[in-house]
Amino acid sequence: MTKIKQSQFLGFYNALVDGDKDKCTSLVQSLINDGLDLKEIYVEIFQKSLYRIGKLWDHNQMSIPQEHLATQIIESLISRFAPVGKSNTEKKVVVTCIDKEYHEIGAKMVSNVFEMTGWKTFYLGASVPTKEIIKFVKQVDPKFIALSWSLYLNLGRFLEVVDHLTRFFPTKKILVGGQALNENSINILKKYKNVKYIDSLHSLESYLKQE
Ligand code: B12
């Protein structure tokens, strides 16, 4: 059960849609002062707002500049209220969006959850070509690779990167997530024994606790 009240969500959402960054910042600051977990703010405030905005945009009820402005405000809040803590250099993870995937906010949240759990993160952001991901993984030699995939149209690219990574790095664990994936996706991933679909930040945190 979330500790965030609907009125708090709506206060933030309305300020976001109005493009009022200062108000959004002070509302998030007060939630943090009240002891709310960053993960909770990510999911119940930022993600919920962006999903709503996505629907409005899809139905032509919100302009592209309004949607871009809201996205920029949320990106700036994620950076401003970034987790602080000491990372364990033994536990490295490369977090990246797949090639031609420009939805990077979910991946950034994933990277921050790894940091909160003490991992050393290498967050690459949006659209990294498959061969560059492979080169980078060779260089950094992480324990985990976390891939984010949102746009269903990128299915071919998703399968390509999973196929290449599992072939080049058969012992590494690959975590995958994002809106293009769901319970049905488990079928397309069945043949890869080191690939794991994780459906939320809460599941990710629980999974990392066992590592
Ligand atoms: C902002 C936005 C954009 C921005 C992104 C900017 C940025 N810096 O990220 C821009 C303008 C670039 C954009 C472009 C497009 N977009 Co857009 N966009 C959105 C919007 C409104 C919000 C995305 C977001 O940040 N959501 C919030 C995050 C936190 O949620 P999330 O990504 O799901 O991540 C969570 C989980 O999925 C999970 N997760 C994610 N990755 C991973 C990885 C791992 C390992 C794990 C464990 C978990 C995990 O954890 C996260 C936190 O809980 C969505 C609406 C929506 N429903 O999300 C549409 C949406 C994603 N976009 C959509 C579309 C169609 C497009 C465009 C094709 C539009 C166009 N015609 O140009 C392009 C495609 C660009 C591309 N090639 O990637 C569709 C996608 C439909 C689909 N699934 O195929 C959506 C759903 C809108 C809609 N209702 O139709 N978009």
Side-chain angles (χ1 to χ4, degrees):
M1 251 286 274
T2 175
K3 294 184 195 108
I4 296 173
K5 296 188 200 97
Q6 179 71 353
S7 58
Q8 289 171 311
F9 166 71
L10 288 174
F12 177 89
Y13 176 79
N14 290 330
L16 184 69
V17 171
D18 289 345
D20 190 341
K21 185 175 168 186
D22 291 342
K23 190 166 180 194
C24 290
T25 307
S26 62
L27 288 169
V28 171
Q29 184 65 67
S30 68
L31 290 173
I32 288 173
N33 295 346
D34 289 347
L36 258 124
D37 186 37
L38 263 185
K39 256 192 324 350
E40 190 83 359
I41 295 173
Y42 286 172
V43 177
E44 298 300 331
I45 299 274
F46 298 166
Q47 178 176 315
K48 203 166 153 184
S49 297
L50 284 168
Y51 280 14
R52 243 189 210 216
I53 284 170
K55 281 202 185 110
L56 291 179
W57 166 79
D58 198 29
H59 294 106
N60 290 323
Q61 287 165 353
M62 181 176 273
S63 69
I64 290 177
Q66 271 181 307
E67 173 271 310
H68 278 27
L69 179 59
T71 304
Q72 288 303 324
I73 291 175
I74 288 190
E75 285 193 324
S76 79
L77 293 174
I78 294 174
S79 300
R80 185 181 180 125
F81 298 103
V84 275
K86 246 190 149 193
S87 63
N88 174 344
T89 46
E90 297 299 303
K91 293 203 310 188
K92 292 186 282 188
V93 59
V94 169
V95 182
T96 185
C97 293
I98 65 166
D99 193 17
K100 303 288 181 293
E101 182 61 72
Y102 290 95
H103 300 98
E104 61 183 337
I105 295 177
K108 179 71 187 159
M109 292 179 179
V110 165
S111 177
N112 285 356
V113 169
F114 270 98
E115 278 183 25
M116 288 171 211
T117 329
W119 286 63
K120 183 167 176 56
T121 61
F122 296 83
Y123 169 66
L124 307 184
S127 185
V128 184
T130 297
K131 67 175 186 343
E132 296 299 328
I133 297 179
I134 293 169
K135 259 199 247 166
F136 191 73
V137 168
K138 262 191 202 146
Q139 195 184 315
V140 168
D141 191 26
K143 181 170 179 187
F144 283 179
I145 305 160
L147 300 176
S148 183
W149 170 36
S150 304
L151 187 67
Y152 194 73
L153 273 175
N154 282 331
L155 171 67
R157 294 188 180 92
F158 173 73
L159 292 176
E160 181 196 70
V161 68
V162 168
D163 222 59
H164 280 69
L165 287 173
T166 48
R167 234 164 340 113
F168 278 97
F169 310 104
T171 57
K172 287 200 191 302
K173 192 94 199 166
I174 300 168
L175 305 184
V176 297
Q179 281 175 80
L181 283 153
N182 55 42
E183 287 311 314
N184 302 328
S185 322
I186 292 170
N187 288 330
I188 54 168
L189 296 172
K190 237 181 203 157
K191 64 175 173 166
Y192 305 106
K193 68 174 173 20
N194 286 337
V195 179
K196 184 165 174 61
Y197 165 57
I198 297 198
D199 68 352
S200 68
L201 295 185
H202 291 287
S203 309
L204 175 64
E205 192 186 38
S206 315
Y207 180 74
L208 295 181
K209 278 188 182 146
Q210 307 154 23
E211 284 301 315

